[in-house]
Amino acid sequence: SMYVDGILQEIYQKYLPLGDSLQDDSKIFIGNNHTFSGGFGGTMDDVRLYNRILPPDQITAIWNLGLNGGVNQSRPNIVVIMTDDQDDMGSMAVMPKTRSLIGSQGLTFTNSFVDFSLCCPSRASFLTGQAAHNTGILANAPGYAKFQPTEGNALPVWLQQARYTTAHMGKYLNFYGSGGQYEPTHVPPGWTLWNGIPDSLGGYSYYNYSINENGVLRSYGNTPADYKTDVQAQKAVDFIANQQNSSQPFFLWLA
């Protein structure tokens, strides 16, 4: 984006063959991929031109506005819905709502690849951006115990540092909350709202389980209202609704 005297301008990008000169010196070229002689390979995301010298206090105010104001304009809300053991044997054929409400509204990657097609290694890669041979998590066991010492340097922490509100609902990493120094009440760093399900308290059951709700365990029974998938979905919807008037963007991981 480009601003002249504080007003957003429309910028047209033009590419020139190598060796050509700029014919119209009124044009301003911003960004990479410039091939004319003396070009540069960097990017400038936000340029503001003023017809006067700004005093230091006004420069500071503009800078702070860029950091804190209108944050949702440049940083979108993010919702990640993660499923496990999603086969390619026709299960989606009997999930019309999933296909109509999610699939048909977005993109389908027909030639995508996973680094390590196993539960815990994949989740660790999601949280770190690293391949399994870098995280060192090459199996479901010991799972969370191997990840926990480094969870302070992971996706939710980075997002909070970028002024995101973060929320997790559902399964975390294998063997999370299985006792020892990894108690079911432990809340991993970086989560504004934590609703993790400890493996040892019904993590793989749809009824009769417990949820760690920001450090407090809440038990659910075996009535229709306790069905885990519906409980998690409602928690996710409630979180999104509560964020609609917030000036901060949010990240939601529903697993």
Side-chain angles (χ1 to χ4, degrees), residues 201 208-213 216-222 226:
L201 298 178
N208 298 315
Y209 57 90
S210 295
I211 297 180
N212 175 350
E213 300 180 351
V216 178
L217 294 176
R218 178 181 175 184
S219 298
Y220 291 79
N222 56 5
D226 294 317

Side-chain angles (χ1 to χ4, degrees), residues 8 18 22 90 123 152 203:
L8 179 65
L18 185 63
L22 295 176
R123 291 169 189 266

Side-chain angles (χ1 to χ4, degrees), residues 17-102:
L18 185 63
D20 279 13
S21 61
L22 295 176
Q23 301 300 317
D24 183 354
D25 58 10
S26 67
K27 292 185 182 297
I28 300 176
F29 292 77
I30 300 175
N32 57 9
N33 294 325
H34 297 295
T35 56
F36 57 85
S37 179
F40 59 92
T43 61
M44 294 185 292
D45 296 323
D46 194 341
V47 177
R48 299 171 186 253
L49 301 180
Y50 292 84
N51 62 1
R52 65 192 185 282
I53 297 177
L54 301 180
D57 59 337
Q58 191 170 354
I59 294 175
T60 301
I62 294 172
W63 172 256
N64 289 333
L65 180 64
L67 289 177
N68 303 311
V71 66
N72 280 327
Q73 296 178 9
S74 59
R75 289 184 288 182
N77 299 320
I78 302 169
V79 176
V80 175
I81 303 175
M82 180 180 290
T83 64
D84 203 351
D85 298 329
Q86 191 73 57
D87 63 54
D88 191 25
M89 300 297 290
S91 63
M92 293 303 297
V94 293
M95 302 174 71
K97 292 182 179 179
T98 300
R99 289 186 288 119
S100 64
L101 298 176
I102 297 179

Side-chain angles (χ1 to χ4, degrees), residues 8-236:
L8 179 65
Q9 304 294 309
E10 193 169 4
I11 298 296
Y12 296 93
Q13 192 172 46
K14 179 180 180 182
Y15 300 97
L16 297 174
L18 185 63
D20 279 13
S21 61
L22 295 176
Q23 301 300 317
D24 183 354
D25 58 10
S26 67
K27 292 185 182 297
I28 300 176
F29 292 77
I30 300 175
N32 57 9
N33 294 325
H34 297 295
T35 56
F36 57 85
S37 179
F40 59 92
T43 61
M44 294 185 292
D45 296 323
D46 194 341
V47 177
R48 299 171 186 253
L49 301 180
Y50 292 84
N51 62 1
R52 65 192 185 282
I53 297 177
L54 301 180
D57 59 337
Q58 191 170 354
I59 294 175
T60 301
I62 294 172
W63 172 256
N64 289 333
L65 180 64
L67 289 177
N68 303 311
V71 66
N72 280 327
Q73 296 178 9
S74 59
R75 289 184 288 182
N77 299 320
I78 302 169
V79 176
V80 175
I81 303 175
M82 180 180 290
T83 64
D84 203 351
D85 298 329
Q86 191 73 57
D87 63 54
D88 191 25
M89 300 297 290
S91 63
M92 293 303 297
V94 293
M95 302 174 71
K97 292 182 179 179
T98 300
R99 289 186 288 119
S100 64
L101 298 176
I102 297 179
S104 65
Q105 306 298 319
L107 297 174
T108 297
F109 295 93
T110 58
N111 193 27
S112 62
F113 300 89
V114 64
D115 175 64
F116 198 129
S117 57
L118 195 62
C119 183
C120 199
S122 288
R123 291 169 189 266
S125 291
F126 171 75
L127 287 169
T128 63
Q130 295 180 332
H133 65 266
N134 294 121
T135 65
I137 299 176
L138 304 176
N140 285 337
Y144 176 66
K146 190 172 183 63
F147 177 78
Q148 196 271 342
T150 60
E151 66 182 356
N153 183 29
L155 180 61
V157 176
W158 305 332
L159 286 168
Q160 275 195 345
Q161 292 172 348
R163 295 183 174 86
Y164 268 77
T165 299
T166 58
H168 172 73
M169 282 86 177
K171 178 181 172 64
Y172 191 39
L173 273 69
N174 299 63
F175 299 104
Y176 161 72
S178 294
Q181 65 186 78
Y182 314 110
E183 291 295 336
T185 54
H186 171 66
V187 177
W191 296 104
T192 310
L193 177 63
W194 176 258
N195 277 236
I197 302 178
D199 275 19
S200 59
L201 298 178
Y204 299 95
S205 303
Y206 288 97
Y207 295 99
N208 298 315
Y209 57 90
S210 295
I211 297 180
N212 175 350
E213 300 180 351
N214 275 23
V216 178
L217 294 176
R218 178 181 175 184
S219 298
Y220 291 79
N222 56 5
T223 70
D226 294 317
Y227 183 64
K228 185 193 292 180
T229 301
D230 291 341
V231 170
Q232 291 181 208
Q234 189 58 55
K235 285 178 174 291

